[in-house]
Amino acid sequence: MKYNLTILLLFLLSLKAIASPQSPDLIIYKNDTIPTYNLLIERYLKEKFNDDELAKFSFKGELIPLSCWRGYQGVYEVIDNKLYLSGMIDCGNSRYRNRWFNGDSLARMKEIFGDKVINGRVLMDWFSGSINFTENFHKKNILREDIFFLRRIFRNEKVLDFSNGNLIKDYNVDNYEKVKGGYNRLNKNKISDIIFKLLSKVNFKNDKDFDCSDKYVITIGEKGKISKVKMVRDEKEIDKYYDKDEYLFCIKKIENSLVNLKFDILKNRGKPISEDVYIEIDQQENGKLKNETYKYKE
C-alpha cells in the first residue's frame, strides 16, 4: 500500500517557489546589533490576545513583503542586565538606528503595550527563557533552518538566559556533539540514506503477504538513537488501509532493523533535541525495499 503524496508535494514546492527567508528580529547586546531568530513578540501576542483581538491590530493588516509576514522586526536591548523591547521597526530599516524609534515603531508598541511603554521602551518582565544568536552566519555554521517559520539552529552560538526579563546567564554553546560510532548528522538530507541503507539489508517478505510500502517518520531521540517509528497517516487512515497485525508488523520490523543505529547528537541552545526524519519505502515482491524518499534540493 503506497501513500500517494503527489498533491502535498506539489503544494510544498509551490510554497518553496514563492517563499523568502524571513527577516529576523534584532538584539542589541554589548554594543553589537545581531539578528536573532526568536519570536518573542509573537509569543506575547498569542498568550495575551485571542484571534479576534489580534486581527484588530493595525500593523497586522498592513501590506507587507513576503520576507516580512509579521509586518515588523522586533528590536530587543539588554540594558543593566534587563531585557527591553526598544522597537518594532519596518522590515529592512535596521541599518538606520535613528529610524528605529520613529512614529510607526512607537505606535505599534503602544498599540500592544499601552502605558508599559516608558521612554520609548518596554521592560520585558514577562519573558523567561533563552535568546540565542550568532555572529557567524556562514552557511557551514547553520545546522538546521526553516524559512517558513523563521527557525535556525547554528552550530556555534551565544545563549542568554532570562528570568522575568532579568539576565541570569550568558554562555557560548556548540550545538553538535560527536558520538563514538555515531553517524554524521550535519547534512540532514543524507540521514534518510543512512537509515535506508540499513533497512535495505533486511528482507520484509512474510508468509502473510504484509506490504509495508508507505511513508514513515523516524524520530532520532535526544541521545542519538531511534526513539520512535510511525506512519505519516492519522489513526483513521491506518484503521482504513491497514490490518492491525500488518501495521504492527511494519512498525516493529523497522524498529528492530534500526535498533543498533546511532547518530551524533543535535542540540538547540546547548540542549539535546530530537529530530524527525521522513522516509518513503516501496516493498518489492521479493521482500526487498526500494527507496522512494523525496528530497528537496536547495
Side-chain angles (χ1 to χ4, degrees):
M1 298 173 200
K2 183 172 291 188
Y3 189 44
N4 193 334
L5 295 173
T6 304
I7 295 177
L8 175 60
L9 185 57
L10 290 173
F11 173 70
L12 291 175
L13 285 173
S14 66
L15 283 179
K16 279 281 189 178
I18 63 171
S20 301
Q22 292 297 305
S23 301
D25 284 347
L26 302 159
I27 183 167
I28 306 170
Y29 185 63
K30 294 184 177 179
N31 296 320
D32 288 326
T33 303
I34 308 167
T36 179
Y37 293 84
N38 295 266
L39 304 183
L40 305 186
I41 301 174
E42 292 296 305
R43 187 187 309 180
Y44 179 87
L45 290 171
K46 290 177 181 178
E47 289 178 354
K48 299 295 183 181
F49 304 97
N50 60 40
D51 291 342
D52 291 337
E53 291 170 331
L54 286 173
K56 294 178 182 179
F57 286 123
S58 61
F59 63 88
K60 287 288 185 177
E62 294 173 358
L63 183 63
I64 55 176
L66 290 175
S67 62
C68 188
W69 52 261
R70 293 176 296 154
Y72 63 87
Q73 285 177 274
V75 182
Y76 315 117
E77 193 167 4
V78 179
I79 303 173
D80 295 331
N81 290 327
K82 293 185 181 296
L83 184 63
Y84 291 86
L85 175 64
S86 293
M88 291 177 64
I89 63 173
D90 296 332
C91 289
N93 281 353
S94 57
R95 295 176 59 186
Y96 307 101
R97 195 179 191 283
N98 61 323
R99 294 176 64 184
W100 289 4
F101 309 99
N102 64 13
D104 290 339
S105 172
L106 193 59
R108 292 183 185 113
M109 292 168 64
K110 287 185 175 180
E111 188 174 3
I112 298 172
F113 300 102
D115 57 10
K116 291 182 180 179
V117 180
I118 300 174
N119 295 326
R121 294 188 177 93
V122 178
L123 177 63
M124 298 177 64
D125 53 5
W126 74 86
F127 176 69
S128 293
S130 300
I131 297 179
N132 58 321
F133 53 86
T134 185
E135 294 179 311
N136 178 11
F137 281 88
H138 193 280
K139 187 175 182 179
K140 291 183 178 180
N141 193 38
I142 300 174
L143 288 176
R144 298 291 185 267
E145 64 179 332
D146 187 332
I147 64 173
F148 295 109
F149 300 104
L150 194 60
R151 295 176 186 147
R152 275 187 177 175
I153 298 177
F154 295 94
R155 175 161 185 171
N156 297 294
E157 61 183 8
K158 180 176 286 293
V159 180
L160 307 181
D161 288 343
F162 293 90
S163 177
N164 299 119
N166 295 297
L167 179 63
I168 57 177
K169 194 175 181 181
D170 165 339
Y171 52 100
N172 297 314
V173 298
D174 184 343
N175 281 320
Y176 191 83
E177 180 181 336
K178 293 184 177 180
V179 174
K180 185 177 181 180
Y183 282 94
N184 190 302
R185 289 172 72 184
L186 291 176
N187 187 340
K188 185 178 180 180
N189 219 27
K190 294 182 178 181
I191 296 177
S192 61
D193 290 336
I194 296 171
I195 291 173
F196 184 78
K197 186 176 181 180
L198 284 179
L199 292 178
S200 65
K201 296 178 181 179
V202 181
N203 195 311
F204 278 63
K205 193 170 185 178
N206 57 89
D207 56 9
K208 294 185 178 180
D209 291 329
F210 289 158
D211 184 357
C212 298
S213 300
D214 216 311
K215 188 161 186 175
Y216 297 82
V217 179
I218 311 293
T219 301
I220 303 173
E222 296 177 1
K223 295 182 179 180
K225 301 277 287 182
I226 303 302
S227 61
K228 189 175 182 180
V229 176
K230 65 178 182 179
M231 288 183 179
V232 186
R233 292 180 180 270
D234 59 33
E235 292 184 5
K236 289 183 179 180
E237 284 186 308
I238 293 173
D239 291 340
K240 181 178 180 180
Y241 295 109
Y242 279 89
D243 175 85
K244 184 178 180 181
D245 290 337
E246 182 180 29
Y247 172 78
L248 292 176
F249 169 83
C250 295
I251 295 297
K252 289 298 181 183
K253 193 74 172 178
I254 294 175
E255 287 179 340
N256 293 337
S257 302
L258 304 176
V259 68
N260 294 319
L261 184 58
K262 185 167 53 176
F263 288 93
D264 292 342
I265 294 174
L266 186 67
K267 302 179 180 181
N268 186 23
R269 298 181 174 95
K271 297 179 181 179
I273 58 174
S274 62
E275 178 176 40
D276 290 338
V277 179
Y278 297 87
I279 65 167
E280 185 173 4
I281 59 177
D282 183 7
Q283 183 176 323
Q284 308 295 294
E285 289 186 4
N286 62 2
K288 293 295 184 179
L289 303 183
K290 181 180 178 182
N291 191 355
E292 296 287 349
T293 306
Y294 174 82
K295 295 179 183 177
Y296 175 78
K297 296 182 180 180
E298 296 290 345

